[in-house]
């Protein structure tokens, strides 16, 4: 049987919607097939079952996420601008795929073999990318001597919080993380955080004597 990409994508979208509302455990293969309007056998054919479906969704999402970060790091020069570009790329990717971002981030809070594999692959690569930028900035005298692990933890929290806790932001702060204006203003805050907490203070300009 040949793979029909359109049908495969429709099944994946159906799974995302059900996993989001009912959770992975509360979603059946039959329910996914029913929402997608396909024969239940196609789930096994395309993905190898429900577990394979979740693995496919997480891996596809994180491959795209890492690609965006790596490309962003190559398009600018200077440690400060590179760090800000990586953060903005991470936020933009999550905003563009906000439903998948919330699903993946939520699933990765659970302990499982799949989650451990993801942490050992994709997120170790993300950590390595941040470490490279922070180390280069430290050597250039741009960044402080803050322990890199703590800096990365701070940045990771700022990157993921709007999409992992999107409902909290909507209900409590009346902001919409998927809105472009949210990202515009949020990036101003992120840039300020990097300048104050991670960058070395810049010497004040000498006063001109008249």
């Amino acid at each position: 049987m040949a793979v029909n990409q359109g049908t495969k994508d429709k099944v994946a979208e159906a799974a995302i919607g059900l996993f989001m509302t009912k959770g992975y455990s509360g979603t059946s293969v039959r329910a996914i097939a029913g929402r997608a309007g396909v024969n239940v056998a196609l789930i096994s054919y395309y993905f190898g079952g429900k577990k394979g479906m979740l693995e496919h969704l997480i891996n596809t999402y994180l491959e795209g996420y890492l690609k965006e970060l790596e490309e962003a790091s190559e398009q600018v020069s200077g440690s400060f601008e590179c760090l800000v570009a990586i953060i903005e790329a991470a936020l933009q990717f999550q905003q563009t795929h906000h439903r998948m971002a919330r699903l993946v981030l939520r699933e990765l809070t659970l302990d499982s073999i799949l989650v451990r594999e993801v942490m050992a692959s994709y997120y170790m690569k993300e950590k390595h990318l941040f470490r490279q930028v922070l180390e280069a900035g430290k050597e250039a005298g741009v960044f402080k001597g803050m322990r890199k692990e703590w800096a990365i933890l701070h940045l990771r929290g700022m990157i993921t919080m709007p999409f992992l806790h999107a409902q909290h932001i909507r209900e409590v702060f009346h902001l919409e993380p998927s809105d472009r204006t949210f990202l515009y203003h949020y990036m101003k805050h992120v840039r300020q955080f990097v300048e104050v907490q991670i960058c070395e203070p810049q010497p004040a300009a000498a006063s001109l004597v008249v």
Side-chain angles (χ1 to χ4, degrees), residues 10-202:
K10 186 164 67 172
V11 173
E13 281 298 314
I16 292 169
L18 289 168
F19 289 159
M20 285 284 294
T21 54
K22 297 180 179 296
Y24 174 76
S25 298
T27 299
S28 68
V29 171
R30 191 168 297 280
I32 296 171
R35 175 169 288 198
V38 300
N39 189 296
V40 70
L42 281 180
I43 309 296
S44 294
Y45 176 73
Y46 286 144
F47 304 102
K50 189 173 76 166
K51 182 174 180 290
M53 164 78 74
L54 182 62
E55 289 178 3
H56 169 79
L57 293 174
I58 291 176
N59 289 333
T60 300
Y61 172 83
L62 290 175
E63 283 170 8
Y65 174 81
L66 269 181
K67 182 181 177 183
E68 289 296 316
L69 268 59
E70 289 166 351
E71 290 180 354
S73 71
E74 297 167 355
Q75 292 173 359
V76 294
S77 59
S79 299
F80 173 78
E81 291 303 334
C82 185
L83 183 58
V84 170
I86 291 172
I87 296 168
E88 186 165 15
L91 289 166
Q92 285 179 340
F93 185 84
Q94 290 177 113
Q95 187 177 64
T96 302
H97 306 87
H98 60 93
R99 292 173 70 242
M100 268 302 299
R102 188 177 180 191
L103 171 62
V104 171
L105 293 171
R106 187 178 67 188
E107 288 299 322
L108 294 182
T109 63
L110 306 174
D111 186 17
S112 68
I113 294 174
L114 171 60
V115 169
R116 292 178 188 180
E117 289 173 349
V118 167
M119 296 297 178
S121 54
Y122 296 110
Y123 280 131
M124 287 301 290
K125 290 178 182 177
E126 181 197 52
K127 177 186 173 184
H128 178 67
L129 180 60
F130 274 115
R131 281 183 66 92
Q132 282 185 311
V133 176
L134 291 170
E135 286 172 357
K138 177 65 170 60
E139 290 175 6
V142 176
F143 297 148
K144 299 175 183 177
M146 177 192 293
R147 183 175 171 182
K148 288 180 285 295
E149 285 75 10
W150 298 128
I152 295 170
L153 281 174
H154 279 300
L155 296 173
R156 281 282 305 152
M158 297 179 78
I159 288 169
T160 60
M161 193 277 178
F163 305 99
L164 177 59
H165 301 290
Q167 194 63 27
H168 175 88
I169 291 177
R170 292 188 194 102
E171 296 296 330
V172 178
F173 295 98
H174 307 296
L175 297 170
E176 177 50 68
S178 62
D179 193 307
R180 287 188 177 275
T181 58
F182 173 86
L183 183 56
Y184 173 77
H185 292 291
Y186 193 65
M187 271 307 301
K188 285 185 177 180
H189 169 67
V190 170
R191 180 178 282 265
Q192 184 180 45
F193 174 86
V194 173
E195 289 174 346
V196 174
Q197 299 297 333
I198 297 179
C199 290
E200 285 284 6
Q202 297 301 307

